[in-house]
mmCIF file of all heavy atoms in Angstrom:
data_model
loop_
_atom_site.group_PDB
_atom_site.id
_atom_site.type_symbol
_atom_site.label_atom_id
_atom_site.label_comp_id
_atom_site.label_asym_id
_atom_site.label_seq_id
_atom_site.Cartn_x
_atom_site.Cartn_y
_atom_site.Cartn_z
ATOM 1 N N ARG A 425 20.215 -7.908 5.161
ATOM 2 C CA ARG A 425 21.208 -8.971 5.236
ATOM 3 C C ARG A 425 22.631 -8.425 5.116
ATOM 4 O O ARG A 425 23.541 -8.864 5.846
ATOM 5 C CB ARG A 425 20.952 -9.996 4.103
ATOM 6 C CG ARG A 425 19.840 -10.952 4.401
ATOM 7 C CD ARG A 425 19.408 -11.714 3.161
ATOM 8 N NE ARG A 425 20.492 -12.445 2.527
ATOM 9 C CZ ARG A 425 20.844 -13.691 2.835
ATOM 10 N NH1 ARG A 425 20.186 -14.346 3.789
ATOM 11 N NH2 ARG A 425 21.819 -14.311 2.184
ATOM 12 N N ILE A 426 22.806 -7.453 4.237
ATOM 13 C CA ILE A 426 24.136 -6.843 4.077
ATOM 14 C C ILE A 426 24.547 -6.077 5.345
ATOM 15 O O ILE A 426 25.692 -6.141 5.798
ATOM 16 C CB ILE A 426 24.128 -5.932 2.818
ATOM 17 C CG1 ILE A 426 24.027 -6.793 1.558
ATOM 18 C CG2 ILE A 426 25.428 -5.103 2.782
ATOM 19 C CD1 ILE A 426 23.752 -5.989 0.316
ATOM 20 N N MET A 427 23.583 -5.328 5.902
ATOM 21 C CA MET A 427 23.867 -4.577 7.100
ATOM 22 C C MET A 427 24.289 -5.513 8.235
ATOM 23 O O MET A 427 25.260 -5.249 8.963
ATOM 24 C CB MET A 427 22.662 -3.765 7.528
ATOM 25 C CG MET A 427 22.321 -2.606 6.577
ATOM 26 S SD MET A 427 20.898 -1.647 7.148
ATOM 27 C CE MET A 427 21.607 -0.818 8.575
ATOM 28 N N MET A 428 23.536 -6.618 8.424
ATOM 29 C CA MET A 428 23.863 -7.546 9.491
ATOM 30 C C MET A 428 25.206 -8.266 9.268
ATOM 31 O O MET A 428 25.932 -8.547 10.202
ATOM 32 C CB MET A 428 22.736 -8.569 9.630
ATOM 33 C CG MET A 428 21.473 -8.007 10.257
ATOM 34 S SD MET A 428 21.708 -7.558 12.005
ATOM 35 C CE MET A 428 21.751 -9.192 12.744
ATOM 36 N N LYS A 429 25.496 -8.545 7.997
ATOM 37 C CA LYS A 429 26.747 -9.192 7.683
ATOM 38 C C LYS A 429 27.939 -8.331 8.040
ATOM 39 O O LYS A 429 28.965 -8.797 8.561
ATOM 40 C CB LYS A 429 26.787 -9.508 6.200
ATOM 41 C CG LYS A 429 28.086 -10.157 5.710
ATOM 42 C CD LYS A 429 28.047 -10.420 4.199
ATOM 43 C CE LYS A 429 29.361 -11.033 3.718
ATOM 44 N NZ LYS A 429 29.341 -11.274 2.262
ATOM 45 N N ASN A 430 27.814 -7.034 7.801
ATOM 46 C CA ASN A 430 28.931 -6.105 8.013
ATOM 47 C C ASN A 430 29.068 -5.605 9.444
ATOM 48 O O ASN A 430 30.138 -5.179 9.858
ATOM 49 C CB ASN A 430 28.761 -4.876 7.085
ATOM 50 C CG ASN A 430 28.995 -5.263 5.619
ATOM 51 O OD1 ASN A 430 29.720 -6.201 5.345
ATOM 52 N ND2 ASN A 430 28.388 -4.527 4.724
ATOM 53 N N ASN A 431 27.985 -5.650 10.234
ATOM 54 C CA ASN A 431 28.024 -5.079 11.596
ATOM 55 C C ASN A 431 27.034 -5.828 12.475
ATOM 56 O O ASN A 431 26.058 -5.240 13.005
ATOM 57 C CB ASN A 431 27.725 -3.610 11.570
ATOM 58 C CG ASN A 431 28.252 -2.854 12.784
ATOM 59 O OD1 ASN A 431 28.906 -3.462 13.650
ATOM 60 N ND2 ASN A 431 27.926 -1.606 12.888
ATOM 61 N N PRO A 432 27.227 -7.150 12.711
ATOM 62 C CA PRO A 432 26.190 -7.965 13.365
ATOM 63 C C PRO A 432 25.985 -7.669 14.847
ATOM 64 O O PRO A 432 24.950 -8.089 15.372
ATOM 65 C CB PRO A 432 26.737 -9.371 13.148
ATOM 66 C CG PRO A 432 28.218 -9.227 13.038
ATOM 67 C CD PRO A 432 28.429 -7.914 12.357
ATOM 68 N N ASP A 433 26.919 -7.037 15.490
ATOM 69 C CA ASP A 433 26.829 -6.883 16.960
ATOM 70 C C ASP A 433 26.316 -5.511 17.395
ATOM 71 O O ASP A 433 26.132 -5.274 18.605
ATOM 72 C CB ASP A 433 28.215 -7.129 17.594
ATOM 73 C CG ASP A 433 28.690 -8.544 17.322
ATOM 74 O OD1 ASP A 433 27.890 -9.480 17.327
ATOM 75 O OD2 ASP A 433 29.926 -8.701 17.071
ATOM 76 N N ASP A 434 26.074 -4.624 16.458
ATOM 77 C CA ASP A 434 25.633 -3.279 16.826
ATOM 78 C C ASP A 434 24.107 -3.268 17.016
ATOM 79 O O ASP A 434 23.369 -3.737 16.141
ATOM 80 C CB ASP A 434 26.062 -2.274 15.754
ATOM 81 C CG ASP A 434 25.584 -0.877 16.084
ATOM 82 O OD1 ASP A 434 26.155 -0.274 17.013
ATOM 83 O OD2 ASP A 434 24.655 -0.378 15.412
ATOM 84 N N LEU A 435 23.614 -2.702 18.102
ATOM 85 C CA LEU A 435 22.206 -2.678 18.429
ATOM 86 C C LEU A 435 21.394 -1.984 17.334
ATOM 87 O O LEU A 435 20.413 -2.518 16.839
ATOM 88 C CB LEU A 435 21.999 -1.987 19.777
ATOM 89 C CG LEU A 435 20.529 -1.708 20.142
ATOM 90 C CD1 LEU A 435 19.694 -2.989 20.201
ATOM 91 C CD2 LEU A 435 20.436 -0.943 21.454
ATOM 92 N N THR A 437 22.172 -1.217 14.296
ATOM 93 C CA THR A 437 22.245 -1.919 13.013
ATOM 94 C C THR A 437 21.180 -3.036 12.957
ATOM 95 O O THR A 437 20.443 -3.179 11.968
ATOM 96 C CB THR A 437 23.633 -2.561 12.805
ATOM 97 O OG1 THR A 437 24.604 -1.510 12.713
ATOM 98 C CG2 THR A 437 23.664 -3.386 11.506
ATOM 99 N N LYS A 438 21.060 -3.738 14.058
ATOM 100 C CA LYS A 438 20.071 -4.825 14.121
ATOM 101 C C LYS A 438 18.661 -4.255 14.059
ATOM 102 O O LYS A 438 17.783 -4.796 13.363
ATOM 103 C CB LYS A 438 20.268 -5.614 15.393
ATOM 104 C CG LYS A 438 19.381 -6.852 15.480
ATOM 105 C CD LYS A 438 19.747 -7.677 16.719
ATOM 106 C CE LYS A 438 21.057 -8.409 16.548
ATOM 107 N NZ LYS A 438 21.304 -9.403 17.630
ATOM 108 N N TYR A 442 16.515 -5.513 10.645
ATOM 109 C CA TYR A 442 15.318 -6.362 10.699
ATOM 110 C C TYR A 442 14.166 -5.750 9.920
ATOM 111 O O TYR A 442 13.462 -6.422 9.159
ATOM 112 C CB TYR A 442 14.923 -6.586 12.171
ATOM 113 C CG TYR A 442 15.488 -7.868 12.767
ATOM 114 C CD1 TYR A 442 16.817 -7.962 13.095
ATOM 115 C CD2 TYR A 442 14.667 -8.945 13.016
ATOM 116 C CE1 TYR A 442 17.332 -9.118 13.662
ATOM 117 C CE2 TYR A 442 15.163 -10.114 13.576
ATOM 118 C CZ TYR A 442 16.505 -10.192 13.882
ATOM 119 O OH TYR A 442 17.008 -11.346 14.449
ATOM 120 N N GLU A 481 16.453 -6.762 22.740
ATOM 121 C CA GLU A 481 17.900 -6.681 22.910
ATOM 122 C C GLU A 481 18.247 -6.043 24.272
ATOM 123 O O GLU A 481 19.268 -6.380 24.877
ATOM 124 C CB GLU A 481 18.531 -5.896 21.778
ATOM 125 C CG GLU A 481 18.507 -6.585 20.433
ATOM 126 C CD GLU A 481 19.435 -7.811 20.414
ATOM 127 O OE1 GLU A 481 20.615 -7.687 20.809
ATOM 128 O OE2 GLU A 481 18.971 -8.899 19.996
#
Side-chain angles (χ1 to χ4, degrees):
R425 281 166 58 88
I426 291 168
M427 292 181 70
M428 285 294 286
K429 178 181 178 181
N430 291 333
N431 200 5
D433 299 321
D434 179 72
L435 170 61
T437 296
K438 186 174 289 189
Y442 265 73
E481 290 293 309

